Amino acid sequence: MKDVEYVREVLSQDYDSELPSEIPYPLLDTVIEAEEFDYLSGMVEGERPNGSQSREGKDYLWFNHGEKSILTHRFIAALTIGKWVPRAFHVDHINHDPSDNRPQNLRIVTPRDNAGNRRKVLLSELADLDALAAELAERKEQVTEQTQPVPEIEVAEEIREPVVPPPRVIRDEPRDSYETHPQSWMGSPKYTGETKPAKYAGPYGGAWYKTSLGSWHLLFETPAELKEDSN
C-alpha cells in the first residue's frame, strides 16, 4: 500500500486527536471562524514560541484558543485534511525549521508500520493547497461580513408644534355661586327686598338686606341731620 493511500485510510476512520489527559481540541470550524490566519504562509495571529526548539535552535510556535494551546503546524495540517490530525501522527517540517509552517513545508509522519518503515506524506499530496487557500479566504470573508455591525439608520426627529393649553377662564364668583344662583351671572347683584334686623348695629341702627346672590349686606340707618348736611 502506498503511503498516501495508507494515510487516507487512517483518516477515514475514527481516531483520537488528543490524549485522555489533554484538553480536547475545539471544533475546527469554530477555530477557523474565530482566529485570523494566512494559510499559505502558515501564520496565525498571536502565535508565539512554545518553549521547544529544533536541533538547529528554531522555535516551535503555538497559539491559544480558549483554554486549548494549539501548535501552529498541527492547525495548518488540520486545515488541509479538514479535521484534527490523529494524535499518534506527527506533523514534520521538511526543511527542519519548526517556525516555517507553510503547508508546502509540512508532511504527516505516521507511526512505524509492521514493515518497520516510517511513512511520510506531504500535505500537498492530500489536498490542492492553492484551491484550499482560496476556499478558506472566501469563508473568512463571509464570516467577517456576518459579524460586521449593522449601521444605524439616522431617523429624522419629528418636529411637533407645541401644545398650547386653552386660556383659563377666571370667574369672579365661585362655581357653586353660579350653580346655586345662576341669575347672579346676568349682571350686578340686586336687593331682593327681604330684610332682617341686625344686632349690635351701633348707635345708628341698621338691618340686613338680602341680595340676588343669596348674600346678606348690613346697611346702617343715616340720621336725618346727616342727610340734611349731605344735601
Side-chain angles (χ1 to χ4, degrees):
M1 180 183 294
K2 293 183 179 180
D3 292 352
V4 175
E5 294 175 354
Y6 174 78
V7 171
R8 290 185 188 278
E9 181 181 353
V10 173
L11 295 177
S12 66
Q13 302 171 5
D14 294 333
Y15 56 79
D16 294 328
S17 56
E18 66 276 325
L19 296 175
S21 59
E22 296 176 333
I23 297 176
Y25 277 97
L27 293 176
L28 182 59
D29 287 344
T30 63
V31 182
I32 292 174
E33 295 177 0
E35 303 297 334
E36 295 297 329
F37 60 88
D38 187 330
Y39 172 69
L40 289 180
S41 66
M43 300 178 66
V44 180
E45 185 176 329
E47 63 184 4
R48 61 188 185 280
N50 75 336
S52 299
Q53 294 182 335
S54 66
R55 295 178 180 179
E56 293 76 14
K58 300 292 185 178
D59 292 313
Y60 288 87
L61 304 177
W62 66 359
F63 63 95
N64 287 336
H65 178 84
E67 298 180 353
K68 182 68 173 178
S69 297
I70 303 174
L71 288 164
T72 301
H73 58 276
R74 295 190 76 88
F75 174 60
I76 297 299
L79 292 177
T80 305
I81 65 176
K83 53 184 177 180
W84 297 109
V85 180
R87 185 66 175 83
F89 285 10
H90 301 281
V91 179
D92 185 39
H93 296 81
I94 299 173
N95 63 1
H96 306 293
D97 181 359
S99 62
D100 182 0
N101 295 308
R102 292 173 297 123
Q104 297 91 336
N105 188 46
L106 301 179
R107 58 189 175 187
I108 292 179
V109 180
T110 69
R112 296 182 183 276
D113 59 12
N114 293 333
N117 297 320
R118 182 171 292 275
R119 302 176 185 270
K120 297 181 179 180
V121 179
L122 300 177
L123 293 186
S124 57
E125 296 179 284
L126 298 175
D128 184 338
L129 303 184
D130 291 331
L132 179 57
E135 180 182 340
L136 289 170
E138 182 179 357
R139 180 175 176 179
K140 291 293 290 185
E141 184 177 356
Q142 293 176 351
V143 171
T144 302
E145 291 177 352
Q146 293 174 359
T147 56
Q148 286 181 345
V150 179
E152 294 184 1
I153 301 177
E154 184 177 354
V155 180
E157 183 179 356
E158 182 182 358
I159 301 177
R160 298 182 178 181
E161 295 293 334
V163 178
V164 180
R168 183 179 179 184
V169 178
I170 301 177
R171 296 171 174 170
D172 294 334
E173 294 293 333
R175 183 175 180 83
D176 58 353
S177 297
Y178 169 75
E179 293 174 348
T180 307
H181 307 286
Q183 69 275 14
S184 63
W185 296 89
M186 303 301 292
S188 300
K190 300 178 180 180
Y191 293 107
T192 62
E194 184 179 354
T195 64
K196 60 182 178 179
K199 297 180 181 180
Y200 314 108
Y204 304 111
W208 292 100
Y209 291 80
K210 188 176 182 179
T211 69
S212 58
L213 298 179
S215 60
W216 293 84
H217 289 194
L218 177 63
L219 297 180
F220 295 94
E221 297 293 339
T222 304
E225 62 269 25
L226 294 180
K227 291 182 179 180
E228 293 178 356
D229 292 342
S230 62
N231 293 331

